[in-house]
Amino acid sequence: MKRVSQLTAALMLSGLAHMATAADMPSQMTLSTLQAQHGVVIDTRLSAFYNGWPQTISSVGGHEPAALNLSASWLDMMNDEQLQLWAKQHAIKPDSLIALYGNDDETKAVKTRLSKLGYQHVALLSDALQQPARLQKMAHFEQLVYPQWLHNLMQNKAVVAKPAGEVKIIEAAWGAPKQYLLSHIPGADYIDTNDIESEPLWNKVSDDKLKALIAKHGIRHDTTVIMYGRDVYAAARVAQILLYAGVKDVRLLDGGWQSWSDAKLPVERGLPNDVKPAPDFGATIPGQPQLMLDTEQARGLLGRKDASLVSIRSWPEFIGITSGYSYIKPKGEIAGARWGHAGSDSTHMEDFHNPDGTMRSADDIAAMWKSWNITPDQHVAFYCGTGWRASETFMYARAMGWQNVGVYDGGWYEWSSNPKNPVATGERKPL
């Protein structure tokens, strides 16, 4: 008896046997037809639109139910092996039924690339983005802005999720503004991370020093601050501390400086413009003290089902092969911490990034965390070596709508400085 593939069998049972071969695949299909065949939906647009930003001022943003995001803009950044790995991670097989949506150029580019790798059952989603009520979006997509939105805001054009009051754009990096001087977003201020954290443990500065820094940069509690950096986690570190201080609306440029550069938007060079200091923050500092945990508070999250102390460190750091830092000698991990992923080493965050450096989809991140029993109903505190990587994941969790999240400021550096604190090493599985 002649064998048939699972896809062919399913299509025959549904009366759609003509779809069984690539040559006979329909050029389009509806979401309901695709779902009936347990097919895969792929959104080929920029991640910003997938996350929830509308493409026009009058449209509705978000993605189709259960859609994956494979932006056509990423294709030049992914070799065949990387693209096949992406498909494997999302359980897409060569005989999977796939429907794409986006503009014509985007869907054509993705279809061509997938076809070359042997994915032959690829069609277009005919009713994509036509039923706003069924679209899904990240809970607070507006907290991760994208370059064109920011440019339109700066040009005083109408934008969705427009800030209510004054807006300040700030670049953050460690040390003197060397790269900033050569090229930065027009009108952006600059914050040296040395001004918001200090030795010996690189914890945040005192609240009094933080208050002075915020005033120096003209920031009040009701100022909207849009942070970006050459490294996203540098900007996130400042953003998280500003939220702790009580600034109500702090946003990140998703993908950082690279995303602005890739968009080929205007830049300027030179020193920051003179900033008029803010005479008063307008609220008590810290406004959200719960966002920053000390060692005892972090310890209190260990061993609980309703809480997670989450390590945002590479696997080699987590199991104690390396400390990750030249200035941190002890190796290992906080005993009882759960692994939240990070990247290949202490300066990378690939596990959380799309190929262009923007935030990976919320569903992917949530699934990654769930595999280590880290869930949105828990009290979750992230930490890393000294706070940068933890702050980036904090900003993502916040955008995803996780309610009870914070950062253990001291991280591995502070924890490991006390030999009485319990440490774990070696391979291990989720707690």
Side-chain angles (χ1 to χ4, degrees):
M1 182 177 178
K2 183 179 179 181
R3 289 174 176 255
V4 295
S5 70
Q6 289 183 334
L7 172 62
T8 301
L11 293 174
M12 290 174 67
L13 287 171
S14 66
L16 297 174
H18 62 283
M19 293 187 192
T21 66
D24 293 331
M25 274 290 295
S27 60
Q28 299 185 10
M29 65 177 64
T30 64
L31 181 63
S32 60
T33 299
L34 185 74
Q35 290 175 330
Q37 307 311 318
H38 306 290
V40 180
V41 187
I42 297 179
D43 187 327
T44 65
R45 303 172 301 159
L46 295 175
S47 59
F49 304 137
Y50 173 89
N51 287 341
W53 287 100
Q55 292 183 259
T56 66
I57 191 70
S58 58
S59 64
V60 176
H63 58 267
E64 293 292 347
L68 304 174
N69 190 203
L70 178 60
S71 174
S73 66
W74 304 341
L75 296 179
D76 289 341
M77 307 172 194
M78 302 174 76
N79 59 34
D80 288 350
E81 183 179 357
Q82 290 169 324
L83 187 53
Q84 288 174 324
L85 177 60
W86 178 90
K88 182 179 180 181
Q89 289 172 336
H90 294 94
I92 302 174
K93 300 177 180 178
D95 64 349
S96 294
L97 185 60
I98 300 170
L100 311 175
Y101 68 93
N103 69 34
D104 290 345
D105 289 341
E106 291 166 339
T107 55
K108 182 179 179 181
V110 172
K111 182 176 182 179
T112 298
R113 188 71 181 278
L114 289 174
S115 296
K116 287 180 178 178
L117 293 179
Y119 299 88
Q120 296 300 318
H121 305 291
V122 184
L124 298 181
L125 194 66
S126 61
D127 57 344
L129 308 177
Q130 294 179 15
Q131 299 182 38
R134 78 183 184 193
L135 298 183
Q136 300 175 348
K137 62 187 70 176
M138 193 159 61
H140 296 293
F141 66 87
E142 75 283 351
Q143 293 173 5
L144 292 179
V145 307
Y146 67 101
Q148 191 60 53
W149 178 90
L150 181 55
H151 180 62
N152 289 344
L153 178 70
M154 293 162 61
Q155 298 297 312
N156 294 316
K157 295 181 180 179
V159 293
V160 173
K162 183 178 181 179
E166 183 183 17
V167 177
K168 289 189 177 295
I169 304 168
I170 301 176
E171 178 173 332
W174 179 80
K178 297 177 181 178
Q179 292 177 301
Y180 172 97
L181 291 173
L182 296 175
S183 189
H184 58 261
I185 294 177
D189 195 2
Y190 181 84
I191 287 182
D192 177 355
T193 58
N194 286 315
D195 292 335
I196 56 98
E197 59 179 12
S198 63
E199 295 183 280
L201 296 174
W202 295 112
N203 286 354
K204 73 165 187 65
V205 297
S206 69
D207 290 343
D208 286 343
K209 289 184 177 179
L210 181 58
K211 182 176 181 180
L213 174 70
I214 289 173
K216 174 185 174 183
H217 288 274
I219 298 170
R220 287 176 42 86
H221 74 285
D222 54 0
T223 303
T224 293
V225 180
I226 299 173
M227 297 294 312
Y228 78 94
R230 314 287 158 156
D231 295 309
V232 174
Y233 51 34
R237 176 65 163 159
V238 177
Q240 200 271 339
I241 291 175
L242 290 177
L243 287 166
Y244 158 86
V247 182
K248 294 180 180 178
D249 188 5
V250 183
R251 313 188 193 190
L252 275 183
L253 174 59
D254 197 11
W257 166 256
Q258 189 61 50
S259 68
W260 185 271
S261 179
D262 289 345
K264 296 179 171 54
L265 291 168
V267 299
E268 67 180 15
R269 58 189 297 149
L271 292 166
N273 296 326
D274 290 335
V275 176
K276 183 179 180 181
D280 181 45
F281 184 65
T284 301
I285 293 178
Q288 297 194 79
Q290 76 280 6
L291 301 186
M292 196 71 77
L293 283 71
D294 61 24
T295 296
E296 289 311 307
Q297 290 170 321
R299 194 193 313 277
L301 302 184
L302 296 171
R304 291 166 50 181
K305 291 184 177 180
D306 65 342
S308 284
L309 184 60
V310 181
S311 171
I312 305 299
R313 303 174 73 206
S314 67
W315 185 249
E317 290 173 274
F318 187 75
I319 64 175
I321 293 175
T322 176
S323 75
Y325 303 81
S326 62
Y327 53 87
I328 301 178
K329 301 306 178 185
K331 301 174 184 178
E333 196 58 271
I334 296 175
R338 296 185 172 116
W339 189 47
H341 289 255
S344 54
D345 57 36
S346 61
T347 62
H348 290 86
M349 289 283 283
E350 301 102 325
D351 294 349
F352 291 91
H353 292 165
N354 294 318
D356 61 355
T358 55
M359 175 189 164
R360 192 175 170 188
S361 79
D363 286 346
D364 279 0
I365 293 174
M368 188 167 64
W369 284 341
K370 187 177 181 181
S371 70
W372 273 78
N373 299 319
I374 304 161
T375 56
D377 58 315
Q378 297 174 337
H379 181 188
V380 176
F382 302 103
Y383 73 93
C384 53
T386 61
W388 288 32
R389 289 175 289 174
S391 294
E392 183 173 343
T393 49
F394 166 88
M395 295 300 289
Y396 293 158
R398 181 172 171 266
M400 290 162 62
W402 289 39
Q403 297 292 319
N404 196 4
V405 292
V407 168
Y408 168 33
D409 190 21
W412 175 245
Y413 198 6
E414 182 170 320
W415 186 273
S416 64
S417 67
N418 183 349
K420 294 183 180 180
N421 286 330
V423 170
T425 58
E427 298 279 342
R428 51 198 182 277
K429 297 180 179 180
L431 297 169

